[in-house]
Every structure is written in C-alpha cells, then in structure tokens.
Amino acid sequence: MSSHKTVSRPCAADKIRSSARDLFYNQGIRAVGVDEIVQRAGVTKPSLYRAFDSKDGLTAAYLADYQQTFWDRIDAICHDHPDDPRAQLLAYFDDLARRAAQPGYRGCALTNAIIEYPEPEQPVRQEAARLKQEIREWVRKKVCTLPIDDPDLVTDGLILLMEGTYTGGQVFLSPGPAAQAGKLARLLLDTPHQS
C-alpha cells in the first residue's frame, strides 16, 4: 500500500500576497491595480476583498511581509555574530552592498512606499514610516553598545548610508556607489567622534 503525502497548496490569500509582493516591489504600489494582482494570483477579486478588505489592507500586509524579511535577515546575522553588535551592523551593510549591486535591485520597499505616498496622513506612508522607525531603533541600540562618543551622530550616519544605498543601488549601474556600503559603514564606526 502506498502512502500519500498531503501536499499543502497555497490558499487564495497566500497567492494574492505573493503576487502583490512581486508586483508592488517591481512596479510600485500605485502602478498596480487589483485586477492585475488577482489575475497574476489566479484568484477572484472577491477573494482579495475577503482576505484584505481593500488594496490598502493588502498593501499593509505587503509592508509587514517586507519588514519580516528584514528581521529574518537580521536574525540570521545576529545568529552568525552573537554578542558582537559591531559585526552585526557590518554584516548587514556588507549584505546590503551585495544586494544593492545586483541587477534589477529596487531598493527598500518601505522607502519606495514613502516616496509613492507623499501625503503625511496617508495610512500606507504612516505604516512604512513606523516600520522604518523600528529599523532605526535597531541600529541605534547596536550603536549605543559600542565605545562611540556620539552614538546619535553615528546612528544618523548609518541610517543615511542605508537610505542612500537603497536609492543608489537603483540609480547607478552596477556595481556603483552602493557596493561601497560596507566599507563606508566601517569608516563611520571606526572614525573617532567628538561630542
């Protein structure tokens, strides 16, 4: 008698999330309509509205998924460099430099969302900005554990480097300035700073 393994098939909501993630990241949130998402996912429009209520609800899920990818990357880095905040920061920037130098790199989904939605009260922009603040806080906590005179200045420098890399990776042909993010992070962390 043969045994049959149950193969888990993605549900409509998972298909929609996956399709939206690809389309939103590569084409932009505002450029992609609900019809295109459901067509790509191979589901019906009512399936989208049952799972997410609206395109904004799906967009919030997309941003949360993107942020989870960031935290998964950070967890792996922290696992590889336990109890070494400097190495964790540098590993992040080395990885960012590698990713930003790849063809087709589209930067940070959160940054892109903030640029797409310039209205300060727009919910998508507010959520992206809130998630960005979580990232800044992670960087700040790591920097504050290091023997640095002005951790706020270094944190700001690393955040500006991060944001510049997200954009520079899209603007300049590979490898471009974004490929230098790891080296620049070392300069920021190793340069003596005065308060």
Side-chain angles (χ1 to χ4, degrees):
M1 188 154 96
S2 64
S3 65
H4 296 284
K5 290 185 179 179
T6 303
V7 177
S8 171
R9 294 188 342 189
C11 68
D14 292 339
K15 291 177 184 178
I16 292 165
R17 275 178 112 117
S18 177
S19 296
R21 182 171 40 248
D22 181 53
L23 291 166
F24 286 167
Y25 185 74
N26 289 303
Q27 297 179 29
I29 298 165
R30 286 188 160 169
V32 175
V34 169
D35 290 332
E36 188 175 0
I37 295 166
V38 296
Q39 181 180 4
R40 167 85 59 99
V43 300
T44 63
K45 200 182 284 189
S47 297
L48 185 147
Y49 291 116
R50 272 194 303 275
F52 301 102
D53 293 330
S54 66
K55 184 180 174 186
D56 280 351
L58 177 57
T59 301
Y62 160 67
L63 296 176
D65 290 348
Y66 185 86
Q67 185 80 334
Q68 188 56 54
T69 300
F70 173 85
W71 291 123
D72 291 346
R73 188 175 287 122
I74 295 302
D75 288 345
I77 286 170
C78 291
H79 179 267
D80 290 345
H81 304 281
D83 304 320
D84 191 343
R86 182 181 182 280
Q88 292 167 5
L89 286 164
L90 293 177
Y92 173 78
F93 280 97
D94 288 340
D95 180 62
L96 177 58
R98 181 193 55 74
R99 288 183 289 116
Q102 298 297 311
Y105 180 72
R106 289 278 298 132
C108 172
L110 304 177
T111 299
N112 295 347
I114 289 169
I115 292 167
E116 276 194 77
Y117 291 89
E119 307 86 8
E121 300 305 316
Q122 211 288 334
V124 171
R125 180 189 178 90
Q126 288 181 342
E127 180 61 5
R130 184 187 71 75
L131 295 171
K132 279 289 191 182
Q133 189 58 41
E134 288 180 3
I135 294 169
R136 185 181 191 286
E137 189 55 33
W138 177 80
V139 172
R140 186 178 185 292
K141 283 180 182 176
K142 297 299 173 183
V143 169
C144 284
T145 65
L146 302 175
I148 292 175
D149 291 339
D150 192 345
D152 289 333
L153 177 65
V154 174
T155 297
D156 288 345
L158 290 172
I159 292 298
L160 289 171
L161 175 59
M162 188 183 290
E163 294 297 327
T165 303
Y166 295 148
T167 304
Q170 297 181 70
V171 172
F172 298 100
L173 292 176
S174 182
Q180 305 301 321
K183 291 177 184 175
L184 292 168
R186 284 168 176 78
L187 287 175
L188 282 167
L189 291 171
D190 295 342
T191 301
H193 302 277
Q194 295 187 0
S195 301

